Amino acid sequence: MQKPVVTRFAPSPTGTLHIGGARTALFNWLYAKHTGGRFLLRIEDTDRERSKQEHVDAILNSLRWLELDWHGEPLFQFARADRHREVARQLLAEGKAYNCYLTTADLEAMRGAIDAERALAREEKRAPRGPQTIQSPWRDRDPKEAPAGVTPAIRLRAPREGETIVEDKVAGRVVVQNTQLDDMIIVRSDGAPTYNFAVVVDDHDMGVTHVIRGADHLNNASRQTQVYLACGWDVPVWAHVPLIHGPDGAKLSKRHGAQGTDEYRAMGYLPVALRNYLVRLGWSHGNDEIMSTEQMVEWFELDGIGKSAARFDFAKLADLNGHYIRKSSPAQIKARLQEALPEMENGAVTKAELDRVGWDTLDAILPALMERAKTLKDIPAGAAFLLATRPLKLEEKAAKILDTDAKATLKSLAAEFATAATWDAPTLDGIIRAYAEQAGKKLGQIAQPLRAALTGSTVSPPVGDMMVALGCEEALARIADQAA
RNA sequence: GCCCCGUUCGUCUAGUGGCCUAGGACACCAGCCUCUCACGUUGGUAACACGAGUUCGAGUCUCGUACGGGGCGCCA
């Protein structure tokens, strides 16, 4: 029987959840769901300087927001240092690792010598001589010769001949000559286990069967393979996912606008849209673009992952987001908005305003706003006319529309509206249409001045909807403000 | 510099030797719908990096070149 699949996401809490990390987490989550396996979380907090609890919280929050649930409690890597050292001791006892008494100064000197030889070789147009990696003499030296007072680092006794092969589900078969790999340090001289070692021990202990992570770790995979082999453990299935680049093709960075998942929330993107966008970045299932989470789970396979890096395209994300906003219920959007508004630009002010007048004020116009929104930000922006106070400030174009003719139209229209039997959109629309017909004018000649008077703008939801949202009194007052 | 990886429309991608006069989506352009905007809808512009080879036949296989990315720590 096939072992049940165990995947994991292992972020370092040195910042917020990077959008690339979000995709990695999504892929791991999807694959676990797809195979009926488990998705685990491990916090790689061994960098004591940069690891912060606030970052752990931020990452966990982003994962929850994305609705990527993990199995059990997150494992903290730093807390497992004793276990890592124990495995290292075992390797030492078996002769698969050794104490290395090289000092930092020694290493610098050796690297300097290698660089110098390489430079010389280039000049003389010949191949560089001697080892091209750090080769510790302590690999073969008698430990009795150890200098007094120097605490050793522990190095893995890696094979110096042959090759190390990584069978990657995405990259394929990656072969690295062992001469390229030095004896990696697994425990530092201060007793702290190194990343490439701790990762292997943890993944093994957690029972991880599939390591799905960024392609920036592909080189690490060969080193880690050597650790697995030394320990006599099964090597997991590797899948190194190509990185996400910014729109200009360079590594996604601050300059591109947003790297943190929390920033996308603040920009008004829906988790369902972000998931759909992210899953199509580097993975495909035929020509399917829009897919439900259920479909993603059903379809997600490792061999659907592409080999090349993808550029982030905000326009496509926005399109997807608009789609999912339209598919949501007004209640869902209202809830999302309440959640995200405090994080948005000027959102706190808008939220205070809406809290004051009551969120129900939005109800009449929300569906019309959702129809037009690309991000949640567009909702408060589109509802701004509701919160505005008379007399309205007119945009230049709006002022232009309100010429003498238009003002006269508004005046006679106001009288018609005052007779409305009920104040709802169909009735009001009916009045507008009847008036246009009777006056022999196009609808636009009536609706545009109305729009200008109601909003001070030339762009808005349908006027009928807005009049209902504003209420009879306010709507008529705004029309009267602009009427001749 | 060394090692590893990649390269199909502007972008994300389909494509696993003949179904490709290369398909879809976003973006863009034009039309329709229409009270503006948006939605929807119809159509359009637009790509196999380059060069050799294998083959009856190559976007698909091989090699080279160019370009891009990643990695070279007692960081993670």
Side-chain angles (χ1 to χ4, degrees):
Chain A
M1 195 186 98
Q2 196 71 25
K3 261 196 304 184
V5 166
V6 178
T7 65
R8 49 70 158 183
F9 178 56
S12 302
T14 54
T16 55
L17 178 62
H18 192 278
I19 195 71
R23 187 187 58 165
T24 302
L26 174 64
F27 281 13
N28 276 284
W29 181 84
L30 283 173
Y31 193 64
K33 288 269 177 203
H34 174 75
T35 55
R38 285 181 299 157
F39 170 60
L40 309 179
L41 212 54
R42 181 173 70 234
I43 307 295
E44 313 219 308
D45 56 347
T46 52
D47 184 336
R48 302 316 287 165
E49 287 293 308
R50 298 195 297 149
S51 294
K52 296 274 184 309
Q53 182 59 41
E54 59 183 281
H55 295 140
V56 175
D57 296 338
I59 290 168
L60 260 35
N61 273 337
S62 287
L63 251 17
R64 284 190 201 102
W65 177 74
L66 280 168
E67 293 157 328
L68 303 181
D69 54 320
W70 57 91
H71 188 273
E73 289 298 311
L75 193 76
F76 286 78
Q77 191 162 59
F78 179 70
R80 292 180 33 86
D82 282 341
R83 164 64 180 156
H84 303 146
R85 281 187 285 266
E86 178 196 320
V87 175
R89 263 196 303 276
Q90 181 66 31
L91 254 20
L92 224 36
E94 292 170 11
K96 290 171 176 165
Y98 60 92
N99 284 128
C100 171
Y101 294 88
L102 251 25
T103 63
T104 311
D106 293 335
L107 292 172
E108 274 172 25
M110 290 172 85
R111 283 200 189 96
I114 291 171
D115 285 348
E117 163 61 13
R118 281 216 269 242
L120 191 66
R122 211 176 319 140
E123 215 164 288
E124 296 178 0
K125 295 188 172 26
R126 59 173 173 80
R129 284 189 274 266
Q132 296 302 302
T133 56
I134 299 284
Q135 294 201 349
S136 170
W138 294 98
R139 178 180 167 111
D140 304 310
R141 258 170 97 171
D142 189 340
K144 289 200 193 83
E145 296 172 31
V150 177
T151 43
I154 304 175
R155 283 186 189 269
L156 189 74
R157 192 187 301 276
R160 287 206 169 152
E161 282 160 13
E163 47 198 25
T164 296
I165 294 164
V166 173
E167 293 286 357
D168 192 275
K169 283 293 204 184
V170 177
R173 188 185 178 89
V174 178
V175 180
V176 177
Q177 298 303 313
N178 286 333
T179 49
Q180 297 293 329
L181 269 17
D182 53 13
D183 287 346
M184 62 180 273
I185 289 174
I186 58 176
V187 178
R188 300 184 183 91
S189 51
D190 67 357
T194 58
Y195 168 77
N196 274 318
F197 181 60
V199 163
V200 172
V201 175
D202 289 346
D203 279 339
H204 172 263
D205 288 358
M206 290 162 80
V208 172
T209 59
H210 291 67
V211 172
I212 305 167
R213 71 218 313 190
D216 48 339
H217 287 284
L218 186 55
N219 290 278
N220 286 331
S222 49
R223 295 201 134 78
Q224 292 172 195
T225 295
Q226 294 186 328
V227 177
Y228 276 104
L229 264 23
C231 292
W233 296 335
D234 286 342
V235 179
V237 175
W238 307 107
H240 289 91
V241 184
L243 301 180
I244 298 176
H245 291 160
D248 61 354
K251 195 173 173 179
L252 198 63
S253 69
K254 278 225 167 73
R255 170 168 66 80
H256 295 119
Q259 346 178 53
T261 306
D262 52 339
E263 297 174 70
Y264 289 85
R265 177 172 56 196
M267 285 187 284
Y269 293 106
L270 259 26
V272 64
L274 202 54
R275 265 183 272 137
N276 199 153
Y277 178 70
L278 252 19
V279 81
R280 282 290 285 114
L281 216 50
W283 175 83
S284 61
H285 179 262
N287 279 334
D288 294 304
E289 295 286 347
I290 289 174
M291 55 188 97
S292 69
T293 302
E294 292 70 32
Q295 286 171 316
M296 282 183 211
V297 169
E298 188 189 331
W299 294 335
F300 191 82
E301 288 286 358
L302 263 20
D303 56 19
I305 300 174
K307 288 181 161 211
S308 50
R311 298 187 188 203
F312 202 93
D313 182 10
F314 282 92
K316 189 150 182 174
L317 207 210
D319 178 72
L320 240 19
N321 205 52
H323 169 85
Y324 283 107
I325 287 178
R326 272 172 259 130
K327 265 188 64 178
S328 303
S329 70
Q332 286 171 319
I333 292 303
K334 213 196 269 188
R336 285 290 178 199
L337 196 56
Q338 279 167 336
E339 165 194 75
L341 208 45
E343 300 169 10
M344 291 181 181
E345 216 178 322
N346 300 324
V349 180
T350 310
K351 184 170 187 298
E353 189 71 6
L354 278 167
D355 286 343
R356 190 177 60 76
V357 300
W359 283 72
D360 293 349
T361 314
L362 284 181
D363 288 352
I365 201 70
L366 195 51
L369 255 21
M370 284 164 60
E371 179 76 16
R372 290 158 177 75
K374 292 279 189 213
T375 72
L376 292 178
K377 270 183 165 178
D378 295 337
I379 307 275
F385 78 93
L386 263 181
L387 304 175
T389 48
R390 296 176 41 226
L392 259 45
K393 259 187 289 189
L394 297 182
E395 287 174 12
E396 207 174 310
K397 281 184 189 168
K400 218 172 157 188
I401 285 175
L402 291 166
D403 54 21
T404 27
D405 194 35
K407 283 172 181 291
T409 299
L410 286 182
K411 190 170 184 180
S412 27
L413 252 181
E416 299 289 330
F417 287 137
T419 68
T422 50
W423 197 260
D424 54 42
T427 306
L428 296 169
D429 283 344
I431 291 172
I432 296 169
R433 279 170 206 287
Y435 181 90
E437 200 169 326
Q438 166 253 309
K441 290 184 174 178
K442 283 185 181 171
L443 255 188
Q445 291 174 282
I446 311 300
Q448 278 304 80
L450 252 182
R451 187 183 320 281
L454 256 16
T455 67
S457 168
T458 54
V459 177
S460 82
V463 290
D465 292 338
M466 292 196 296
M467 290 174 70
V468 172
L470 284 166
C472 174
E473 197 181 328
E474 176 70 17
L476 289 180
R478 288 188 185 191
I479 294 168
D481 284 345
Q482 306 301 336

